[in-house]
Amino acid sequence: MVSTLFRRGLAATTLCVAATSQAHATIPSPYAGHDAERHLWLAGAGSDLRQQTILGASHLTSLVGRQLTALVLRRDANATAYPAGAATWTVTVSSSPAATYDSSDTFADNLGADAVQVFHGTVAFPASPPTAGAAATWGPADTIRVVFQTPFAYTGGRLCVDITGAAVAGQQSAAWLADAHAVDPTGAATSIGGGCGPFAAQSYVDRYGLSVGGTATFTTGGTPNSFSFALTGQALLAPLPLASVGIGLPNSGCSVMLDPTLLMPVWLTDALTPSMGIGAWSVRIPNDSNLQGLGFTTQWLDLAQEATTDAITWSIGARHSLDMVTIEGAPSAATGRITTNLAHVLRFEHQ
């Protein structure tokens, strides 16, 4: 009788432990115990945002055949205390046979036929003290944990985690930054001069986006509420004075540094300062390895000032090795900005 009761009690205890324990997998796995290189904001922490994270199959081998039951994101490790906040999240998970480098900037294209809305509701961003060690913990004070209302059965392939976040009025927490993994840029960019006037040095390119399958973004500062033109083509052997093409004054120091084959007008609306607007031109680089090493030169022409910025000679680098992709955009938009070198460090709980 005692032996029977003991066996029943042991069985009940075993079932209880099994029911409450959760196995987990951190992606990328090397960052389970230490901080990754960068940080990345969260959907709805400060503003409404749709954020897709595409995870390559190379990160997910231990999860094949498992039921994913929760998603955990960890804060970035730094000496800043994060204030509490809240957002409304809708989380959808799906798999896909495609590779990460075939991810699309169209949100719907990244969702597979097995897409499941695993969560909808309010997510709490905890008040988190400064990080004491080299990495934040995976405990409640340092993490955002979303328990899936519907588990997701992962059978293989890449995985898409789609989060649409809406800020809760009065509970925004834009400073709550999550840990993120990043790789170095593979493209190259060099300023070759030619600029003049008040915005001569206001020409930039995001080198991280200069990669096969990436998004190259060129930005400039210039006259507010006016057009600036991104001139792109092959660099000239020698600078061409801008006045020789009928723009600006002789001896102004303005030069055209390239033979333009593309001219892209950009309206400068966002004021960086009262006297300078900013604008950007983005172009998606096709996922074609034959483009690696291809290069051009881009220079901005500010018509209001009849002046040029410095020119930037750039080249396309190799596809990033992250095997993770981030796509971000407005919740109502069909497309977003795709980033192939940066993604959240996250953890899946599973059974």
Side-chain angles (χ1 to χ4, degrees):
M1 181 67 176
V2 173
S3 177
T4 300
L5 290 174
F6 176 78
R7 285 196 300 271
R8 288 177 179 173
L10 180 62
T13 301
T14 302
L15 287 172
C16 181
V17 171
T20 57
S21 64
Q22 286 279 357
H24 55 74
T26 303
I27 301 168
S29 57
Y31 299 104
H34 65 91
D35 193 57
E37 303 86 355
R38 300 273 289 279
H39 56 254
L40 187 60
W41 46 78
L42 291 159
S47 60
D48 297 353
L49 182 69
R50 185 173 184 181
Q51 202 168 43
Q52 282 187 340
T53 303
I54 313 295
L55 310 170
S58 66
H59 295 293
L60 304 168
T61 54
S62 66
L63 294 176
V64 176
R66 305 289 185 177
Q67 294 278 334
L68 307 185
T69 57
L71 171 69
V72 187
L73 292 131
R74 179 181 63 185
R75 64 161 286 165
D76 183 48
N78 58 58
T80 302
Y82 288 175
T88 300
W89 276 13
T90 299
V91 183
T92 300
V93 178
S94 73
S95 58
S96 167
T100 50
Y101 54 74
D102 283 325
S103 299
S104 172
D105 59 0
T106 299
F107 291 115
D109 290 348
N110 298 317
L111 295 172
D114 60 349
V116 175
Q117 181 178 300
V118 297
F119 178 84
H120 175 75
T122 301
V123 172
F125 304 140
S128 182
T131 306
T137 72
W138 289 97
D142 290 340
T143 58
I144 297 165
R145 181 170 179 261
V146 179
V147 178
F148 293 169
Q149 295 151 348
T150 304
F152 180 80
Y154 174 66
T155 58
R158 78 179 186 189
L159 198 63
C160 174
V161 179
D162 186 318
I163 301 174
T164 298
V168 175
Q171 298 186 60
Q172 292 93 337
S173 185
W176 221 106
L177 298 172
D179 194 18
H181 175 40
V183 292
D184 292 333
T186 59
T190 303
S191 175
I192 59 172
C196 65
F199 310 115
Q202 299 298 325
S203 180
Y204 309 94
V205 62
D206 176 15
R207 288 194 302 128
Y208 288 93
L210 291 173
S211 64
V212 171
T215 300
T217 300
F218 302 85
T219 57
T220 187
T223 306
N225 300 310
S226 69
F227 278 110
S228 192
F229 294 83
L231 312 178
T232 298
Q234 294 297 330
L236 295 171
L237 294 177
L240 178 69
L242 185 61
S244 66
V245 296
I247 302 175
L249 298 174
N251 304 315
S252 65
C254 294
S255 297
V256 178
M257 307 296 288
L258 58 105
D259 181 8
T261 55
L262 176 66
L263 186 152
M264 179 61 62
V266 173
W267 184 254
L268 306 187
T269 56
D270 297 325
L272 189 62
T273 69
S275 60
M276 183 167 72
I278 57 173
W281 169 51
S282 293
V283 57
R284 179 77 193 275
I285 300 173
N287 180 34
D288 183 349
S289 59
N290 292 319
L291 297 177
Q292 183 177 338
L294 184 66
F296 295 95
T297 298
T298 297
Q299 184 176 23
W300 293 85
L301 171 63
D302 186 325
L303 273 186
Q305 293 285 333
E306 295 191 333
T308 53
T309 66
D310 286 350
I312 295 177
T313 292
W314 51 273
S315 61
I316 299 170
R319 182 185 299 127
H320 288 123
S321 60
L322 193 69
D323 202 18
M324 299 172 73
V325 174
T326 301
I327 304 102
E328 297 177 314
S332 59
T335 62
R337 173 177 167 78
I338 187 167
T339 304
T340 58
N341 73 292
L342 177 69
H344 283 132
V345 173
L346 48 81
R347 172 172 283 187
F348 284 113
E349 295 179 1
H350 62 85
Q351 292 178 340

